[in-house]
Each structure stands twice: as structure tokens, then as C-alpha cells.
Amino acid sequence: MTGSVDRAVAGEGRRTGRRKVLVGVAAVMMLAGGGASIAHGAADGPGGGGHAAHGTASVGGSADGQASPGGKADADGQANPGGKTDADGQTSEVGMVGGASRSGGFWMRADGVFSPPGSFVPSDALTYDTGLVPAAARIEVTQYADRTTTRVGTRLRGLLPNRAYGMHVHTSPCAADPASAGPHYQHSASATADPVNEVWLDFRTDRNGAGAAEARHDWGFRDGGARSVIIHDVQGGAGKRIACFTVPFSS
């Protein structure tokens, strides 16, 4: 009788052990889920409405009038799809999201976690200089467009504190070679390289390593012409390419 009890206890112990292993594997897979997430929305008209978006939730609320999760409209009339906010103001993951503006435009949001090229967990956000853009730093890029205006905004955290960075929209996706992102996107090709003809998002981080910028233009992107943003080590029209984030800008 005692032997049967011992065998039963041992069997239960093995089953419990297997359950713990499975739970542990699931937790590791969840922690490894870096990369980028994308949300798109399209307005049905000036009165709002909008369509459900494709993709998962983005990181970061809205401080600049861009569409942001949270379930309510912001001050500029952008839709705030459902979601929850964590302790530092970042939006936790939600399922399907969408957005629309009262002016009849559309919005896009993409966020990513920087990692070096060739990392175990692939990412659309690549850092080529971890001394200036550390691995695990975060970036969010938003786009809003209506009949008259295109706004591109960015928010970053986890960078060096109190430092100036340059940033521009580029023509091609990111790759291991920083040059793969191509040149700056220009509204008028071969014209001047300045914030009027290009999308410049130069910013300076605060004491916590967070920064933000927004650019506004009365023109939109050509279809497929804008595919990434590059972070440079200096502000202005040039500088070393130190990080890149592939972004599906809409025309």
C-alpha cells in the first residue's frame, strides 16, 4: 500500500514539473517578443467613424495631437482606441485598434525597440551605435494626414540624457548596412535639403533620455516613397547614421 502511494506522489510530481516547464517556456517567449507593432486607421469623413485597424497595439500615448490608445478622443479630435496605460504613461498591448479624425483624415502609428543588426530577436528598429542609441531604447513614429496637412511625429526614450540628435525620413527600409535606408525623402526631388522640402525631426533628450519632435507640411508622401526614419549623431542635414526604424508611411 505504501509503495502505491509513493508511486502516485511521484507521478503527480512529474506532472507538476512538466507544467512548470511549460509555463516557464511561455514566459520566455512572451519576454522575447520585441520588434515593432503597427496600427493603421482611416477616416470615413469629417464626422469620424473610421475603420478597425490592422496590427497590434502601439507603445506611447499622445502628447502632440496624434491618435493614441485610451478609448477617448484627444484635444485635436484624433481617435484614441481602447487600451490601458502603465505607470510611465506608455500604452500596454491591446488587440485590434483603429482611429479617425473629425477632419476626415487617417493616422498611422508604429513603435519599436532598438537592437543591433543580427540580434536573436529581429526588430524593425536597428541601432548601429549602442553608445548613442542603446539596445532596448524605444521609438514611436506617428503620421496623420488630411486634405491639407501631413504631420509626422516621433517620441523616444532610453537614449542618452541631455543630448541633441538629428532625425529625418528616408526613402528605403532599414538593413544591417546603414546606407540601405537611402537618402532623405524629398517632396521636390533634387531640390534643397532643408526642413521645408524634407521631413526633419531633430530633437534633444531630457535628463531621463526621452525626446520628441513633430514636422508639419502641406504636402503628402508619394506612394511607397517614404519607408524609414534615420537617427543621426548631430542635428541638421547630415551626420553619422546611428539608428534606423522601418516605418510604413502612407501616401
Side-chain angles (χ1 to χ4, degrees), residues 159-188:
L159 303 181
L160 299 187
N162 301 314
R163 192 187 193 283
Y165 291 85
M167 188 172 183
H168 312 95
V169 172
H170 282 245
T171 60
S172 301
C174 309
D177 182 358
S180 297
H184 296 180
Y185 178 90
Q186 293 190 326
H187 175 56
S188 298

Side-chain angles (χ1 to χ4, degrees), residues 59-60 90 112 114 125 132-133 136-141 153-160 165-167 201-206 208-214 229-232 242-245:
V59 173
Q90 302 304 312
F114 286 105
L132 296 178
V133 179
R138 304 184 73 92
I139 182 171
E140 173 191 275
V141 174
T154 185
R155 302 201 320 168
L156 304 100
R157 57 191 176 103
L159 303 181
L160 299 187
Y165 291 85
M167 188 172 183
L201 296 164
D202 292 357
F203 63 94
R204 185 176 185 85
T205 56
D206 61 18
N208 297 314
E214 182 182 85
V229 293
I230 284 279
I231 302 177
H232 298 268
I242 57 176
C244 183
F245 181 36

Side-chain angles (χ1 to χ4, degrees), residues 2-248:
T2 301
S4 298
V5 172
D6 290 343
R7 286 193 295 273
V9 171
E12 180 62 26
R14 287 193 294 272
R15 286 191 293 272
T16 302
R18 285 195 293 271
R19 285 196 295 268
K20 289 182 178 179
V21 170
L22 290 173
V23 171
V25 170
V28 170
M29 293 177 68
M30 290 175 66
L31 289 172
S37 61
I38 301 165
H40 294 274
D44 289 329
H51 301 288
H54 303 284
T56 59
S58 303
V59 173
S62 176
D64 55 8
Q66 303 300 318
S68 59
K72 298 180 180 179
D74 62 20
D76 196 38
Q78 305 308 309
N80 299 323
K84 296 182 179 180
T85 303
D86 61 24
D88 63 356
Q90 302 304 312
T91 302
S92 59
E93 288 192 351
V94 296
M96 303 294 286
V97 295
S101 72
R102 287 195 293 260
S103 59
F106 68 88
W107 61 267
M108 177 280 301
R109 167 178 289 162
D111 71 271
V113 180
F114 286 105
S115 63
S119 296
F120 176 73
V121 179
S123 176
D124 285 333
L126 301 177
T127 173
Y128 308 118
D129 186 337
T130 55
L132 296 178
V133 179
R138 304 184 73 92
I139 182 171
E140 173 191 275
V141 174
T142 56
Q143 178 192 4
Y144 169 77
D146 59 19
R147 299 181 184 89
T148 60
T149 304
T150 297
R151 298 202 313 257
V152 176
T154 185
R155 302 201 320 168
L156 304 100
R157 57 191 176 103
L159 303 181
L160 299 187
N162 301 314
R163 192 187 193 283
Y165 291 85
M167 188 172 183
H168 312 95
V169 172
H170 282 245
T171 60
S172 301
C174 309
D177 182 358
S180 297
H184 296 180
Y185 178 90
Q186 293 190 326
H187 175 56
S188 298
S190 302
T192 57
D194 57 38
V196 176
N197 191 46
E198 302 177 346
V199 181
W200 290 24
L201 296 164
D202 292 357
F203 63 94
R204 185 176 185 85
T205 56
D206 61 18
R207 63 181 182 179
N208 297 314
E214 182 182 85
R216 300 188 180 213
H217 296 88
D218 59 3
W219 45 261
F221 294 121
R222 293 180 294 277
D223 187 24
R227 302 292 303 280
S228 64
V229 293
I230 284 279
I231 302 177
H232 298 268
D233 62 340
V234 296
Q235 295 186 344
K240 177 185 175 183
R241 301 184 182 197
I242 57 176
C244 183
F245 181 36
T246 298
V247 181

